[in-house]
Amino acid sequence: MVNAPAAHPETRARALLEWAQRVGPADPMTTHEHLLTEALLIENDQPALAAEMLGEAAWIAVTIDADRALDAARRAHSLGPGAPNVALALAMTLVVAGRAEEGDAVATAALASLDRDAGSMFTLSRSAVLSLWREHYDDARRLLERAITCARDEHNQVVLANALDTHAALDYRTGKWPAARARSAEALRIAEAVGGELQRASCLTTLARLDAVSGREADCRRRVAEALDLADGNRTHVAYAVSARGLLALGLDDPEEAIRELGPLRAAFDDRAEPMVVQWVPDLLEALARAGRNDDWSDVFAWFEDSTRGAGATTWTRAVAARCRGLGAGGRDFDGAFHEALELHSKTPTPFERARTELCYGERLRRARRRADANGYLLAALATFERLGAAPWATRARRELGRGTRLGGAIETQLTAHEIEVVSLVVRGLTNREAAAALFVSPKTIDYHLVNVYRKLDVRSRTELTRLMLGR
């Protein structure tokens, strides 16, 4: 911490701001209060500098105390509304506080200004987080690449670790899992070197989530335990860690354990929480549905559904809400909800979430004895899980495909992941050329895979393959 009590207030303020940005606080809320105090001393003479300090105070507190962060951001914006970092701090705190529509309006002008200006590495990295949470994935990737380059050039390890881990989170959501693991591992090494405990916790939870979906149970549990020690009660980082363990349990088909992990998070988040920040609520709802706890499901879903209303709701939020509605629908009245979810998934590049919806829909169709309809969705889900490396989820899809048929055994023992992916497209009616375009390969590659599939499954045509796969 900067210790210069005899310095001029402006000099002391600038030193504190630079320290907070470049070193990173070990005690975030103490630094938050220090920034507020020093900003108050200079806001009449140096309103722009005071605004930057208040904006920094908001950034520091946003994952710890959303209300205090929002108060600081509003004060900052009243003093320096033209500064991109200040506007982005206000937008971020509004989003975290569940006021996404208002936050979008504030962010639009600030993000546009970054297109005209190089922007500092701090502003670039932070604006990328906001873009990620609002599903502006191309913008987030562009901003992060600029921030990472700038941080490497200026040897700023704090910003570099943050930007790399944010890029890993982006890669996770958009299905680039090997890149996500590599970036987050690098970010963790840097954070360990510079001693940033919350940044280390963040990297560990990113890696734990990748472990969870890949079925690396021991690694996931180890990283979650370490992250919880480092998070020291930080609400958001604790939620990231616990939600990874809940997702692990869900993938391993243990809904009761998932409920034990995720259920207590309800008390930590009020109705204003933005579901895109920590994506735990749909996992709890799926676990409750799979465990047959209908009353609990209805209570949590009513609470969650409030966040899907209004223009500020993201496509992901509306898609998973529709999926959850399909899971909880009584009797046979579930098709409309799943169709709505799949239509929304087509608008955002989140392949794991789409495959989860296809799996849930296929499972419900099988329970309704609509095997032919179910198999198409289950095959599509399996193809995506295999491509991503989501081993426990692929196991669930294979098991569902194989119930009462020889289909599951054929897929389990004979077809490769690439062949399953080709088959899932062919049985949906795509031509070889269309399937090739979808997979970014040549039509000859599709021909090659189909010849192998025909031989392995002892079929002679696309029609026979479709009949086998769809159970017709």
Side-chain angles (χ1 to χ4, degrees):
M1 180 69 70
V2 174
N3 185 19
H8 186 277
E10 180 184 345
T11 303
R12 189 169 62 241
R14 291 189 184 280
L16 175 61
L17 178 61
E18 182 176 359
W19 173 86
Q21 290 179 330
R22 290 190 172 274
V23 178
D27 184 347
M29 292 312 295
T30 297
T31 304
H32 170 85
E33 294 294 341
H34 197 175
L35 285 162
L36 294 181
T37 301
E38 295 296 328
L40 182 64
L41 296 175
I42 64 168
E43 65 180 359
N44 290 330
D45 297 328
Q46 297 288 337
L49 177 57
E52 289 287 344
M53 297 182 73
L54 290 166
E56 187 67 23
W59 282 112
I60 289 171
V62 69
T63 63
I64 304 172
D65 190 325
D67 289 333
R68 291 169 72 180
L70 183 55
D71 287 343
R74 289 195 187 281
R75 282 180 57 195
H77 200 249
S78 68
L79 291 171
N85 198 47
V86 170
L88 288 166
L90 177 57
M92 177 71 82
T93 53
L94 286 166
V95 168
V96 173
R99 305 178 188 180
E101 188 173 358
E102 187 180 351
D104 277 349
V106 175
T108 299
L111 291 171
S113 73
L114 288 177
D115 289 333
R116 298 189 297 270
D117 183 12
S120 74
M121 67 181 120
F122 311 104
T123 306
L124 290 169
S125 180
R126 289 164 172 176
S127 61
V129 175
L130 181 60
S131 295
L132 169 63
W133 287 352
R134 302 310 298 148
E135 293 182 306
H136 304 156
Y137 295 133
D138 289 341
D139 289 340
R141 185 168 285 106
R142 174 175 52 82
L143 292 164
L144 285 166
E145 288 170 356
R146 290 166 59 187
I148 289 168
T149 298
C150 186
R152 290 193 194 280
D153 290 345
E154 297 191 25
H155 306 289
N156 190 305
Q157 301 292 78
V158 172
V159 174
L160 180 57
N162 179 268
L164 283 169
D165 193 44
T166 303
H167 208 316
L170 169 64
D171 290 335
Y172 167 78
R173 294 192 185 192
T174 54
K176 304 178 189 305
W177 290 0
R181 188 173 291 278
R183 287 193 171 100
S184 199
E186 182 185 0
L188 178 59
R189 290 194 296 271
I190 294 169
E192 289 173 339
V194 300
E197 291 192 352
L198 286 181
Q199 185 60 66
R200 286 166 60 197
S202 177
C203 297
L204 285 164
T205 59
T206 303
L207 289 166
R209 198 163 187 85
L210 288 161
D211 291 332
V213 293
S214 303
R216 302 180 183 184
E217 183 175 1
D219 288 338
C220 177
R221 294 189 186 281
R222 173 179 57 80
R223 286 186 167 120
V224 167
E226 188 177 350
L228 288 172
D229 286 341
L230 293 167
D232 193 27
N234 180 297
R235 185 185 74 163
T236 300
H237 289 296
V238 167
Y240 277 131
V242 172
S243 66
R245 211 158 49 193
L247 182 59
L248 172 70
L250 195 59
L252 295 175
D253 204 14
D254 191 345
E256 291 293 349
E257 183 184 350
I259 293 166
R260 288 192 294 272
E261 294 285 0
L262 299 170
L265 291 179
R266 171 77 183 273
F269 289 84
D270 59 27
D271 290 341
R272 297 176 305 153
E274 164 54 48
M276 271 290 284
V277 176
V278 187
Q279 299 178 331
W280 62 274
V281 186
D283 296 344
L284 175 59
L285 285 166
E286 181 177 340
L288 289 168
R290 292 179 66 80
R293 294 169 58 168
N294 298 331
D295 291 342
D296 291 333
W297 181 93
S298 297
D299 177 53
V300 175
F301 184 74
W303 175 71
F304 176 56
E305 195 173 28
D306 287 342
S307 64
T308 71
R309 300 191 177 103
T314 64
T315 301
W316 174 85
T317 302
R318 290 183 288 129
V320 295
R323 176 174 78 209
C324 293
R325 193 181 309 114
L327 280 168
R332 297 175 179 270
D333 186 24
F334 55 81
D335 290 278
F338 281 114
H339 289 163
E340 178 187 350
L342 291 169
E343 173 62 25
L344 288 163
H345 283 309
S346 69
K347 299 177 181 179
T348 184
T350 51
F352 180 61
E353 292 295 338
R354 180 185 178 92
R356 286 183 61 179
T357 296
E358 290 166 337
L359 173 61
C360 289
Y361 190 20
E363 289 173 334
R364 286 230 58 178
L365 287 166
R366 293 276 292 188
R367 301 299 180 275
R369 302 183 183 280
R370 293 163 58 187
R371 191 179 73 187
D373 293 334
N375 284 359
Y377 291 105
L378 293 169
L379 276 169
L382 176 58
T384 300
F385 292 145
E386 290 279 15
R387 175 172 58 81
L388 292 173
W393 298 83
T395 297
R396 274 181 55 182
R398 284 195 204 95
R399 183 173 62 242
E400 197 67 34
L401 278 163
R403 283 184 172 156
T405 72
R406 74 181 183 91
L407 179 56
I411 290 174
E412 182 77 39
T413 61
Q414 294 173 263
L415 301 187
T416 68
H418 289 302
E419 288 166 353
I420 293 169
E421 199 163 29
V422 170
V423 168
S424 73
L425 296 174
V426 168
V427 300
R428 283 159 49 192
L430 274 68
T431 66
N432 286 12
R433 186 172 297 279
E434 290 168 337
L439 298 177
F440 301 99
V441 297
S442 71
K444 286 186 177 180
T445 300
I446 302 297
D447 291 338
Y448 170 79
H449 285 310
L450 280 178
V451 168
N452 287 333
V453 168
Y454 291 168
R455 175 178 52 80
K456 291 177 179 181
L457 300 184
D458 192 25
V459 297
R460 292 174 293 179
S461 67
R462 297 167 71 95
T463 300
E464 288 186 15
L465 176 64
T466 300
R467 286 175 180 165
L468 171 64
M469 290 295 169
L470 299 186
R472 292 185 172 126

Coordinates of all heavy atoms in Angstrom, one line a residue, residues 372-450:
A372 N -37.6 -42.6 -31.8 CA -37.0 -42.1 -33.1 C -36.7 -40.6 -33.0 O -35.7 -40.1 -33.5 CB -38.0 -42.3 -34.2
D373 N -37.6 -39.8 -32.4 CA -37.4 -38.4 -32.3 C -36.2 -38.1 -31.3 O -35.4 -37.2 -31.6 CB -38.6 -37.7 -31.7 CG -39.8 -37.7 -32.6 OD1 -39.6 -37.8 -33.8 OD2 -41.0 -37.6 -32.1
A374 N -36.1 -38.9 -30.3 CA -35.0 -38.7 -29.3 C -33.7 -38.9 -29.9 O -32.7 -38.2 -29.6 CB -35.3 -39.6 -28.1
N375 N -33.5 -40.0 -30.7 CA -32.2 -40.4 -31.1 C -31.5 -39.3 -31.9 O -30.3 -39.1 -31.9 CB -32.2 -41.7 -31.9 CG -32.4 -42.9 -31.0 OD1 -32.5 -42.7 -29.8 ND2 -32.6 -44.0 -31.6
G376 N -32.2 -38.5 -32.7 CA -31.6 -37.5 -33.5 C -31.0 -36.4 -32.6 O -29.8 -36.0 -32.8
Y377 N -31.7 -36.0 -31.5 CA -31.1 -35.0 -30.6 C -30.0 -35.6 -29.8 O -29.0 -34.9 -29.5 CB -32.2 -34.5 -29.7 CG -33.2 -33.7 -30.4 CD1 -34.5 -34.2 -30.7 CD2 -32.9 -32.4 -30.8 CE1 -35.4 -33.4 -31.4 CE2 -33.9 -31.6 -31.5 CZ -35.1 -32.1 -31.8 OH -36.0 -31.4 -32.5
L378 N -30.1 -36.9 -29.4 CA -29.1 -37.5 -28.6 C -27.8 -37.7 -29.4 O -26.7 -37.5 -28.9 CB -29.5 -38.8 -28.1 CG -30.7 -38.8 -27.0 CD1 -31.2 -40.2 -26.8 CD2 -30.2 -38.1 -25.7
L379 N -27.9 -38.0 -30.7 CA -26.7 -38.1 -31.6 C -26.0 -36.8 -31.7 O -24.8 -36.7 -31.7 CB -27.1 -38.7 -32.9 CG -27.3 -40.2 -33.1 CD1 -27.9 -40.5 -34.4 CD2 -25.9 -40.8 -33.0
A380 N -26.8 -35.7 -31.9 CA -26.2 -34.4 -32.1 C -25.5 -34.0 -30.8 O -24.4 -33.4 -30.8 CB -27.3 -33.4 -32.4
A381 N -26.1 -34.3 -29.6 CA -25.5 -34.0 -28.4 C -24.2 -34.7 -28.2 O -23.1 -34.2 -27.8 CB -26.4 -34.2 -27.2
L382 N -24.2 -36.0 -28.5 CA -23.1 -36.9 -28.4 C -21.9 -36.4 -29.3 O -20.8 -36.4 -28.8 CB -23.4 -38.3 -28.7 CG -22.3 -39.3 -28.7 CD1 -21.6 -39.4 -27.3 CD2 -22.8 -40.7 -29.1
A383 N -22.2 -36.0 -30.5 CA -21.2 -35.5 -31.4 C -20.5 -34.3 -30.8 O -19.3 -34.2 -30.9 CB -21.8 -35.2 -32.8
T384 N -21.2 -33.4 -30.3 CA -20.6 -32.2 -29.7 C -19.8 -32.5 -28.4 O -18.7 -32.0 -28.3 CB -21.7 -31.2 -29.3 OG1 -22.4 -30.8 -30.5 CG2 -21.1 -29.9 -28.7
F385 N -20.4 -33.4 -27.6 CA -19.6 -33.7 -26.3 C -18.3 -34.4 -26.7 O -17.3 -34.2 -26.1 CB -20.5 -34.7 -25.5 CG -21.7 -34.0 -24.9 CD1 -22.9 -34.7 -24.7 CD2 -21.7 -32.7 -24.5 CE1 -24.0 -34.1 -24.1 CE2 -22.8 -32.1 -23.9 CZ -23.9 -32.8 -23.7
E386 N -18.3 -35.3 -27.7 CA -17.1 -36.0 -28.1 C -16.1 -35.0 -28.7 O -14.9 -35.1 -28.3 CB -17.5 -37.0 -29.2 CG -18.2 -38.2 -28.7 CD -17.3 -39.3 -28.0 OE1 -16.2 -38.9 -27.7 OE2 -17.8 -40.4 -27.8
R387 N -16.6 -34.1 -29.5 CA -15.6 -33.1 -30.1 C -15.0 -32.2 -29.0 O -13.8 -31.9 -29.0 CB -16.4 -32.2 -31.1 CG -15.6 -31.1 -31.7 CD -16.3 -30.4 -32.8 NE -17.6 -29.9 -32.4 CZ -17.7 -28.7 -31.8 NH1 -16.7 -28.0 -31.5 NH2 -18.9 -28.3 -31.5
L388 N -15.8 -31.8 -28.0 CA -15.3 -30.9 -26.9 C -14.4 -31.7 -25.9 O -13.6 -31.1 -25.3 CB -16.5 -30.3 -26.2 CG -17.3 -29.3 -27.0 CD1 -18.5 -28.9 -26.1 CD2 -16.5 -28.1 -27.3
G389 N -14.6 -33.0 -25.8 CA -13.9 -33.7 -24.8 C -14.7 -33.7 -23.4 O -14.1 -33.9 -22.4
A390 N -16.0 -33.6 -23.5 CA -16.9 -33.6 -22.3 C -17.3 -35.0 -22.0 O -18.4 -35.5 -22.2 CB -18.1 -32.8 -22.6
A391 N -16.3 -35.8 -21.5 CA -16.4 -37.3 -21.3 C -17.7 -37.7 -20.5 O -18.4 -38.6 -21.0 CB -15.2 -37.8 -20.7
P392 N -17.9 -37.1 -19.3 CA -19.1 -37.7 -18.6 C -20.4 -37.3 -19.3 O -21.4 -38.1 -19.2 CB -19.0 -37.0 -17.2 CG -18.1 -35.8 -17.5 CD -17.2 -36.2 -18.5
W393 N -20.5 -36.3 -20.0 CA -21.7 -35.9 -20.7 C -21.9 -36.8 -21.9 O -23.0 -37.2 -22.3 CB -21.7 -34.4 -21.1 CG -21.6 -33.6 -19.9 CD1 -20.5 -33.2 -19.2 CD2 -22.7 -33.0 -19.2 NE1 -20.9 -32.4 -18.1 CE2 -22.2 -32.3 -18.1 CE3 -24.1 -33.0 -19.4 CZ2 -23.0 -31.6 -17.2 CZ3 -24.9 -32.3 -18.6 CH2 -24.4 -31.6 -17.5
A394 N -20.8 -37.1 -22.6 CA -20.8 -38.1 -23.7 C -21.3 -39.4 -23.2 O -22.1 -40.1 -23.9 CB -19.5 -38.2 -24.4
T395 N -20.9 -39.8 -22.0 CA -21.3 -41.1 -21.4 C -22.8 -41.1 -21.2 O -23.5 -42.1 -21.5 CB -20.6 -41.4 -20.1 OG1 -19.2 -41.5 -20.4 CG2 -21.1 -42.7 -19.5
R396 N -23.3 -40.0 -20.7 CA -24.8 -39.9 -20.5 C -25.5 -40.0 -21.8 O -26.6 -40.7 -21.9 CB -25.1 -38.6 -19.8 CG -25.0 -38.6 -18.3 CD -25.4 -37.2 -17.8 NE -26.7 -36.7 -18.2 CZ -27.2 -35.6 -17.8 NH1 -26.5 -34.7 -17.0 NH2 -28.4 -35.2 -18.2
A397 N -25.0 -39.4 -22.9 CA -25.7 -39.5 -24.2 C -25.7 -40.9 -24.7 O -26.7 -41.4 -25.3 CB -25.1 -38.5 -25.1
R398 N -24.5 -41.5 -24.6 CA -24.4 -42.9 -25.1 C -25.3 -43.9 -24.4 O -25.9 -44.7 -25.0 CB -22.9 -43.4 -24.9 CG -21.9 -42.9 -25.9 CD -20.7 -43.7 -25.9 NE -19.5 -42.9 -26.4 CZ -18.7 -42.2 -25.6 NH1 -18.9 -42.3 -24.3 NH2 -17.7 -41.6 -26.1
R399 N -25.4 -43.7 -23.1 CA -26.2 -44.6 -22.3 C -27.7 -44.4 -22.7 O -28.4 -45.4 -22.8 CB -26.0 -44.2 -20.8 CG -26.9 -45.1 -19.9 CD -26.5 -44.9 -18.4 NE -26.8 -43.5 -18.0 CZ -25.9 -42.6 -17.6 NH1 -24.7 -42.9 -17.5 NH2 -26.3 -41.4 -17.2
E400 N -28.1 -43.2 -22.9 CA -29.5 -42.9 -23.3 C -29.8 -43.5 -24.7 O -30.8 -44.1 -24.9 CB -29.8 -41.4 -23.3 CG -31.2 -41.1 -23.3 CD -31.9 -41.5 -22.0 OE1 -31.3 -41.5 -20.9 OE2 -33.1 -41.9 -22.1
L401 N -28.8 -43.4 -25.6 CA -29.0 -43.9 -26.9 C -29.1 -45.5 -26.9 O -29.8 -46.1 -27.7 CB -27.8 -43.5 -27.8 CG -27.9 -42.1 -28.5 CD1 -26.5 -41.7 -28.9 CD2 -28.9 -42.1 -29.6
G402 N -28.4 -46.1 -26.0 CA -28.3 -47.5 -26.0 C -29.3 -48.2 -25.2 O -29.4 -49.5 -25.3
R403 N -30.3 -47.6 -24.6 CA -31.3 -48.2 -23.8 C -32.2 -49.0 -24.7 O -33.0 -48.4 -25.5 CB -32.0 -47.2 -23.0 CG -31.2 -46.8 -21.8 CD -32.0 -45.8 -20.9 NE -31.3 -45.6 -19.6 CZ -31.4 -44.5 -18.9 NH1 -32.3 -43.6 -19.2 NH2 -30.7 -44.4 -17.8
G404 N -32.2 -50.3 -24.6 CA -33.1 -51.2 -25.3 C -32.8 -51.3 -26.8 O -33.6 -51.9 -27.5
T405 N -31.6 -50.9 -27.3 CA -31.3 -51.1 -28.7 C -29.9 -51.5 -28.8 O -29.1 -51.5 -27.9 CB -31.5 -49.8 -29.4 OG1 -30.4 -48.9 -29.1 CG2 -32.8 -49.1 -29.1
R406 N -29.5 -51.9 -30.0 CA -28.1 -52.2 -30.3 C -27.3 -51.0 -30.7 O -26.1 -51.0 -30.9 CB -28.0 -53.3 -31.4 CG -28.3 -52.9 -32.8 CD -28.1 -54.0 -33.7 NE -28.3 -53.7 -35.1 CZ -27.4 -53.3 -35.9 NH1 -26.1 -53.1 -35.5 NH2 -27.6 -52.9 -37.2
L407 N -28.0 -49.8 -30.8 CA -27.4 -48.6 -31.2 C -26.3 -48.1 -30.3 O -25.2 -47.8 -30.7 CB -28.5 -47.5 -31.4 CG -28.1 -46.1 -31.8 CD1 -27.3 -46.2 -33.2 CD2 -29.3 -45.2 -31.9
G408 N -26.6 -48.1 -29.0 CA -25.6 -47.6 -28.0 C -24.3 -48.4 -28.1 O -23.2 -47.9 -28.1
G409 N -24.4 -49.8 -28.2 CA -23.2 -50.6 -28.3 C -22.4 -50.3 -29.5 O -21.2 -50.3 -29.5
A410 N -23.1 -50.1 -30.6 CA -22.4 -49.8 -31.9 C -21.6 -48.5 -31.7 O -20.5 -48.4 -32.2 CB -23.4 -49.7 -33.0
I411 N -22.2 -47.5 -31.2 CA -21.6 -46.2 -31.0 C -20.4 -46.3 -30.0 O -19.3 -45.7 -30.2 CB -22.6 -45.1 -30.6 CG1 -23.5 -44.8 -31.7 CG2 -21.9 -43.8 -30.1 CD1 -24.6 -43.9 -31.3
E412 N -20.7 -47.0 -28.9 CA -19.7 -47.2 -27.9 C -18.4 -47.8 -28.3 O -17.3 -47.4 -28.0 CB -20.3 -48.0 -26.7 CG -19.4 -48.2 -25.5 CD -19.3 -46.9 -24.7 OE1 -20.3 -46.2 -24.5 OE2 -18.2 -46.6 -24.2
T413 N -18.6 -48.9 -29.2 CA -17.4 -49.7 -29.5 C -16.9 -49.6 -30.9 O -15.8 -50.0 -31.2 CB -17.8 -51.2 -29.2 OG1 -18.8 -51.6 -30.1 CG2 -18.2 -51.5 -27.8
Q414 N -17.7 -49.0 -31.8 CA -17.3 -49.0 -33.2 C -17.0 -47.7 -33.8 O -16.1 -47.6 -34.7 CB -18.4 -49.8 -34.0 CG -18.5 -51.3 -33.6 CD -19.7 -51.9 -34.3 OE1 -20.7 -52.0 -33.8 NE2 -19.5 -52.3 -35.6
L415 N -17.8 -46.7 -33.5 CA -17.7 -45.4 -34.2 C -16.7 -44.4 -33.5 O -16.8 -44.3 -32.2 CB -19.0 -44.7 -34.4 CG -20.1 -45.5 -35.1 CD1 -21.3 -44.6 -35.4 CD2 -19.6 -46.0 -36.5
T416 N -15.9 -43.7 -34.3 CA -15.1 -42.7 -33.7 C -15.8 -41.4 -33.5 O -17.0 -41.3 -34.0 CB -13.9 -42.4 -34.6 OG1 -14.4 -41.8 -35.8 CG2 -13.1 -43.7 -35.0
A417 N -15.2 -40.5 -32.7 CA -15.9 -39.2 -32.5 C -16.2 -38.5 -33.8 O -17.3 -37.9 -34.0 CB -15.0 -38.3 -31.6
H418 N -15.3 -38.5 -34.8 CA -15.5 -37.8 -36.0 C -16.6 -38.5 -36.8 O -17.5 -37.9 -37.4 CB -14.2 -37.9 -36.9 CG -13.2 -36.9 -36.4 ND1 -13.4 -35.6 -36.2 CD2 -11.9 -37.2 -36.0 CE1 -12.3 -35.0 -35.7 NE2 -11.3 -36.0 -35.6
E419 N -16.7 -39.8 -36.7 CA -17.8 -40.6 -37.4 C -19.1 -40.3 -36.8 O -20.1 -40.1 -37.5 CB -17.5 -42.1 -37.4 CG -16.3 -42.5 -38.3 CD -15.8 -43.9 -38.0 OE1 -16.2 -44.5 -37.0 OE2 -14.9 -44.3 -38.8
I420 N -19.2 -40.2 -35.5 CA -20.4 -39.8 -34.8 C -20.9 -38.4 -35.3 O -22.1 -38.2 -35.5 CB -20.3 -39.9 -33.3 CG1 -20.1 -41.3 -32.9 CG2 -21.5 -39.3 -32.6 CD1 -19.6 -41.4 -31.4
E421 N -19.9 -37.5 -35.4 CA -20.3 -36.1 -35.8 C -20.9 -36.1 -37.2 O -21.9 -35.5 -37.5 CB -19.0 -35.3 -35.7 CG -19.3 -33.8 -35.7 CD -18.1 -33.0 -35.2 OE1 -17.0 -33.4 -35.4 OE2 -18.3 -31.9 -34.6
V422 N -20.2 -36.9 -38.1 CA -20.7 -37.0 -39.5 C -22.1 -37.6 -39.5 O -23.1 -37.1 -40.2 CB -19.8 -37.8 -40.4 CG1 -20.4 -38.1 -41.7 CG2 -18.5 -37.0 -40.6
V423 N -22.3 -38.7 -38.8 CA -23.6 -39.4 -38.7 C -24.7 -38.5 -38.2 O -25.8 -38.5 -38.7 CB -23.5 -40.7 -37.9 CG1 -24.9 -41.3 -37.6 CG2 -22.6 -41.7 -38.6
S424 N -24.4 -37.7 -37.2 CA -25.4 -36.8 -36.6 C -25.9 -35.8 -37.6 O -27.1 -35.4 -37.6 CB -24.8 -36.1 -35.4 OG -23.9 -35.1 -35.7
L425 N -25.1 -35.4 -38.6 CA -25.5 -34.5 -39.6 C -26.3 -35.2 -40.7 O -27.3 -34.7 -41.2 CB -24.3 -33.7 -40.2 CG -23.5 -32.8 -39.2 CD1 -22.3 -32.3 -39.8 CD2 -24.4 -31.7 -38.7
V426 N -25.8 -36.3 -41.1 CA -26.4 -37.1 -42.2 C -27.8 -37.5 -41.9 O -28.7 -37.4 -42.7 CB -25.5 -38.3 -42.6 CG1 -26.3 -39.2 -43.5 CG2 -24.2 -37.8 -43.2
V427 N -28.0 -38.0 -40.6 CA -29.4 -38.5 -40.3 C -30.4 -37.3 -40.2 O -31.6 -37.5 -40.1 CB -29.4 -39.3 -39.0 CG1 -28.5 -40.5 -39.2 CG2 -28.9 -38.5 -37.8
R428 N -29.8 -36.1 -40.1 CA -30.7 -34.9 -40.1 C -31.1 -34.5 -41.5 O -31.8 -33.5 -41.7 CB -30.1 -33.8 -39.3 CG -30.1 -34.0 -37.8 CD -29.1 -33.1 -37.0 NE -29.1 -31.8 -37.5 CZ -28.1 -30.9 -37.1 NH1 -27.1 -31.3 -36.4 NH2 -28.1 -29.7 -37.5
G429 N -30.6 -35.2 -42.5 CA -30.9 -34.9 -43.9 C -29.9 -34.1 -44.6 O -30.2 -33.7 -45.8
L430 N -28.8 -33.7 -44.1 CA -27.8 -32.9 -44.8 C -27.1 -33.8 -45.9 O -26.8 -35.0 -45.7 CB -26.7 -32.4 -43.8 CG -27.1 -31.1 -43.1 CD1 -28.2 -31.2 -42.1 CD2 -25.8 -30.5 -42.4
T431 N -26.9 -33.1 -47.0 CA -26.1 -33.8 -48.0 C -24.6 -33.8 -47.6 O -24.2 -33.2 -46.6 CB -26.2 -33.0 -49.4 OG1 -25.6 -31.7 -49.2 CG2 -27.7 -32.8 -49.8
N432 N -23.8 -34.6 -48.3 CA -22.4 -34.7 -48.0 C -21.8 -33.3 -48.1 O -20.9 -32.9 -47.3 CB -21.7 -35.7 -49.0 CG -22.0 -37.1 -48.6 OD1 -22.9 -37.4 -47.8 ND2 -21.3 -38.0 -49.2
R433 N -22.2 -32.5 -49.1 CA -21.6 -31.2 -49.3 C -22.0 -30.3 -48.1 O -21.2 -29.5 -47.6 CB -22.0 -30.6 -50.6 CG -21.3 -29.3 -51.0 CD -21.7 -28.8 -52.4 NE -21.2 -29.8 -53.4 CZ -19.9 -29.8 -53.8 NH1 -19.0 -28.9 -53.3 NH2 -19.5 -30.7 -54.7
E434 N -23.2 -30.4 -47.7 CA -23.7 -29.6 -46.6 C -23.0 -30.0 -45.3 O -22.6 -29.1 -44.5 CB -25.2 -29.7 -46.4 CG -26.0 -29.0 -47.6 CD -27.4 -29.3 -47.6 OE1 -27.8 -30.4 -47.0 OE2 -28.2 -28.6 -48.2
A435 N -22.9 -31.3 -45.1 CA -22.2 -31.8 -43.9 C -20.7 -31.3 -43.9 O -20.2 -30.9 -42.9 CB -22.3 -33.3 -43.8
A436 N -20.1 -31.3 -45.1 CA -18.7 -30.9 -45.2 C -18.6 -29.4 -44.8 O -17.6 -29.0 -44.1 CB -18.2 -31.1 -46.6
A437 N -19.5 -28.6 -45.3 CA -19.5 -27.2 -45.0 C -19.7 -27.0 -43.5 O -19.0 -26.1 -42.9 CB -20.5 -26.5 -45.8
A438 N -20.5 -27.7 -42.9 CA -20.8 -27.6 -41.4 C -19.6 -27.9 -40.6 O -19.4 -27.3 -39.5 CB -22.0 -28.4 -41.0
L439 N -18.8 -28.9 -41.1 CA -17.6 -29.4 -40.3 C -16.3 -28.8 -40.8 O -15.2 -29.1 -40.3 CB -17.5 -30.9 -40.4 CG -18.7 -31.6 -39.7 CD1 -18.6 -33.1 -39.9 CD2 -18.9 -31.3 -38.3
F440 N -16.4 -27.9 -41.8 CA -15.2 -27.2 -42.4 C -14.2 -28.3 -42.9 O -13.0 -28.2 -42.7 CB -14.5 -26.3 -41.4 CG -15.4 -25.2 -40.9 CD1 -16.1 -25.4 -39.6 CD2 -15.7 -24.1 -41.6 CE1 -17.0 -24.4 -39.2 CE2 -16.5 -23.1 -41.2 CZ -17.2 -23.2 -40.0
V441 N -14.7 -29.3 -43.6 CA -13.9 -30.3 -44.3 C -14.3 -30.4 -45.7 O -15.3 -29.8 -46.1 CB -13.9 -31.7 -43.5 CG1 -13.4 -31.5 -42.1 CG2 -15.4 -32.2 -43.5
S442 N -13.7 -31.3 -46.5 CA -14.0 -31.5 -47.8 C -15.1 -32.6 -48.0 O -15.2 -33.4 -47.1 CB -12.8 -31.9 -48.7 OG -12.4 -33.2 -48.3
P443 N -15.9 -32.5 -49.0 CA -16.9 -33.6 -49.2 C -16.3 -35.0 -49.3 O -16.9 -36.0 -48.9 CB -17.6 -33.2 -50.6 CG -17.4 -31.8 -50.7 CD -16.1 -31.5 -50.0
K444 N -15.0 -35.1 -49.8 CA -14.3 -36.4 -49.8 C -14.1 -36.9 -48.4 O -14.1 -38.1 -48.2 CB -13.0 -36.2 -50.6 CG -13.1 -36.1 -52.1 CD -11.8 -36.1 -52.8 CE -12.0 -36.0 -54.3 NZ -10.6 -36.1 -55.0
T445 N -13.9 -36.0 -47.5 CA -13.7 -36.5 -46.1 C -15.0 -37.1 -45.5 O -15.0 -38.1 -44.8 CB -13.2 -35.3 -45.2 OG1 -12.0 -34.8 -45.7 CG2 -13.1 -35.7 -43.7
I446 N -16.1 -36.5 -45.9 CA -17.4 -37.0 -45.5 C -17.6 -38.4 -46.1 O -18.1 -39.3 -45.4 CB -18.5 -36.0 -45.8 CG1 -18.3 -34.7 -45.2 CG2 -19.9 -36.6 -45.4 CD1 -18.3 -34.7 -43.7
D447 N -17.3 -38.5 -47.4 CA -17.4 -39.8 -48.1 C -16.6 -40.8 -47.4 O -17.1 -42.0 -47.2 CB -16.9 -39.7 -49.5 CG -17.9 -38.8 -50.4 OD1 -19.0 -38.6 -50.0 OD2 -17.4 -38.3 -51.4
Y448 N -15.4 -40.5 -47.0 CA -14.5 -41.5 -46.4 C -15.1 -41.9 -45.1 O -15.1 -43.2 -44.8 CB -13.1 -40.8 -46.1 CG -12.2 -41.6 -45.3 CD1 -11.5 -42.7 -45.8 CD2 -12.0 -41.2 -43.9 CE1 -10.6 -43.4 -45.0 CE2 -11.1 -42.0 -43.1 CZ -10.5 -43.1 -43.6 OH -9.6 -43.8 -42.8
H449 N -15.6 -41.0 -44.2 CA -16.1 -41.4 -43.0 C -17.4 -42.3 -43.1 O -17.6 -43.2 -42.4 CB -16.5 -40.2 -42.1 CG -15.3 -39.5 -41.5 ND1 -14.3 -40.2 -40.8 CD2 -14.9 -38.2 -41.5 CE1 -13.4 -39.3 -40.4 NE2 -13.7 -38.1 -40.8
L450 N -18.2 -41.9 -44.1 CA -19.5 -42.7 -44.3 C -19.2 -44.1 -44.8 O -19.9 -45.0 -44.4 CB -20.4 -42.0 -45.3 CG -21.2 -40.8 -44.8 CD1 -22.0 -40.1 -45.9 CD2 -22.1 -41.2 -43.7

